[in-house]
Amino acid sequence: MYNNWADLENACLQCQKCGLCSGRHNVVFGVGNRRSKVMFVGEGPGENEDLRGEPFVGRGGQLLDKFLTAVDLDRRSNIYIANIVKCRPPQNRDPLPEEQESCINWLRNQFALIRPKIVVCLGRVAAMRLMKPDIKITKEHGKFIDKKGTLMMATLHPAALLRNPGQKPAAFEDFLKLREKIDELGCDIAKQE
Ligand code: URA
């Protein structure tokens, strides 16, 4: 465990713990306000993210940003976004269990430094890994569960919403619930500064 961001990021950027390192252009470490109390976690970088070194910058990311803006959240001010794996799986396949295992300590260290009050899992892979292995995201999205004092919620993955636009209203409800919960807990740092 690293107790400061500079050392953590520096070590992560040099990681070679699994085979994904061989195909990467960039390690996608994470983005956002490191003092925020709300964290979003996706599954892993896609092509655009690998090229830019930032999570959720493709079409899915643009949709995510729209939803965030609508509830006064912003990756540059009051949230932090990371992924389960920091390097792009080839052909955008799901990260393998052993790749997740090799990478998860980076995320654990990010959690340890941020100490989020709320974690939103973007999609099935993150929800299965962080919430429960048998989660049925189509049924259980939008529901908060308390895990050792951190509230966790899964929502549908932005890429899934691009494939099934009919699910967008249901996903947007999750963001409204998230906003309510943030206000209830008083944990929006943009409103505290
Ligand atoms: N999908 C993810 O899960 N994470 C990203 O960063 C981009 C797409």
Side-chain angles (χ1 to χ4, degrees), residues 40 60-79 81 172 175-176 178-179 182 188 190-191:
F40 285 75
Q62 286 163 21
L63 179 60
L64 174 63
D65 281 338
K66 260 196 202 166
F67 278 17
L68 291 171
T69 304
V71 295
D72 275 337
L73 297 174
D74 184 313
R75 63 172 75 200
R76 309 271 163 221
S77 79
N78 52 2
I79 60 166
I81 309 179
F172 187 61
F175 283 73
L176 295 174
L178 171 64
R179 181 74 246 176
I182 291 171
D188 184 344
K191 295 193 173 170

Side-chain angles (χ1 to χ4, degrees), residues 5 9 29-41 74-75 78-82 110 114:
W5 283 101
E9 183 165 7
F29 178 69
V31 69
N33 191 327
R34 294 168 172 184
R35 286 176 299 114
S36 75
K37 290 289 147 210
V38 182
M39 225 172 132
F40 285 75
V41 182
D74 184 313
R75 63 172 75 200
N78 52 2
I79 60 166
Y80 189 85
I81 309 179
Q110 288 171 309
I114 293 187

Side-chain angles (χ1 to χ4, degrees), residues 28 41-46 49 54-57 81-83 122 157 159:
V28 180
V41 182
E43 62 183 70
E49 291 76 20
E54 180 171 330
F56 289 100
V57 291
I81 309 179
N83 281 306
L122 292 165
H157 195 284

Side-chain angles (χ1 to χ4, degrees), residues 11 20 44 69 83 106-108 152 157 174 179-180 183 188:
L20 295 183
T69 304
N83 281 306
W106 300 120
L107 183 66
R108 289 203 183 110
M152 310 209 50
H157 195 284
D174 298 346
R179 181 74 246 176
E180 265 177 35
D183 290 340
D188 184 344

